[in-house]
Amino acid sequence: FAIEDKSLLNYPNPADQQISIKSDNNLKGAIVIISDITGKTVLKQVGEKDTQIDIQVASLQKGIYFLEVQNGKTSTRKRMTKK
């Protein structure tokens, strides 16, 4: 079982053009997976910076998505709304 990163934040929520993910932990190399409510992966990105990952979400349809950040031994899942 993976440990959850309690310091992970995603904003703005709801999002329109872009979301940012921040953490007290290093995000370089972290894998971000955005999936729709059916569980289908709609976007995947690897973190390139230490403390923040910016993801363009303008192409996503309006609705509710799940954001999963896999980072070494941590796996954190958050809910995100695309407006």
Side-chain angles (χ1 to χ4, degrees):
F1 289 96
I3 300 166
E4 185 175 339
D5 180 355
K6 303 272 187 204
S7 71
L8 193 114
L9 299 172
N10 61 297
Y11 63 91
N13 195 8
D16 185 29
Q17 300 293 316
Q18 173 180 297
I19 62 163
S20 295
I21 300 167
K22 278 194 171 186
S23 175
D24 292 342
N25 298 309
N26 189 339
L27 292 173
K28 191 168 190 163
I31 299 168
V32 179
I33 300 166
I34 298 177
S35 53
D36 64 16
I37 56 171
T38 67
K40 179 183 170 195
T41 298
V42 293
L43 206 136
K44 193 173 184 177
Q45 185 170 321
V46 176
E48 296 175 0
K49 297 180 186 173
D50 291 343
T51 58
Q52 182 170 318
I53 300 172
D54 297 319
I55 301 175
Q56 300 302 318
V57 294
S59 64
L60 297 180
Q61 298 292 319
K62 292 179 183 178
I64 295 171
Y65 293 88
F66 295 99
L67 175 75
E68 185 175 352
V69 180
Q70 300 171 350
N71 191 11
K73 294 182 180 179
T74 66
S75 180
T76 306
R77 205 168 149 104
K78 300 275 188 178
R79 199 170 123 169
M80 178 195 105
T81 303
K82 168 66 169 74
K83 62 178 180 177

